[in-house]
Amino acid sequence: MRHLYVVTYDISSPKRWRRVFRTMRGFGDHLQLSVFLCDLPLMERVQMQALLHEIIHHEEDKVMIVDLGPTEGRTIQSIETIGIPVEITKRGPQVV
């Protein structure tokens, strides 16, 4: 079952911040500076956490993962913004 997650992070080193950012681009949609929206099955969430675990400094950095619940039946309109609207890319298989 897929779940929708908000992943946000505070990384004290610019080098580690860039590594976390590049890693997160592979798992979700970039919403703003250090915030991603991820629609993931459990296995991908575990993989994402393992990669982040390897990158961050555990005494200086913080990653917060908020589980918003199952993706099924959830519409993207359930996320509100104030100011500039967020453009969410529909994820799924792409034919090249």
Side-chain angles (χ1 to χ4, degrees), residues 60-87:
E60 297 179 3
D61 305 330
K62 177 173 48 179
V63 176
M64 184 169 64
I65 301 170
V66 179
D67 185 347
L68 299 177
T71 302
E72 189 172 309
R74 178 180 300 275
T75 63
I76 205 65
Q77 286 79 20
S78 63
I79 298 173
E80 295 180 31
T81 61
I82 298 173
I84 300 170
V86 174
E87 292 184 27

Side-chain angles (χ1 to χ4, degrees), residues 20-37:
V20 168
F21 179 81
R22 285 192 301 263
T23 299
M24 288 307 303
R25 284 194 337 198
F27 289 98
D29 296 316
H30 181 225
L31 297 182
Q32 56 189 53
L33 187 59
S34 296
V35 181
F36 279 80
L37 182 65

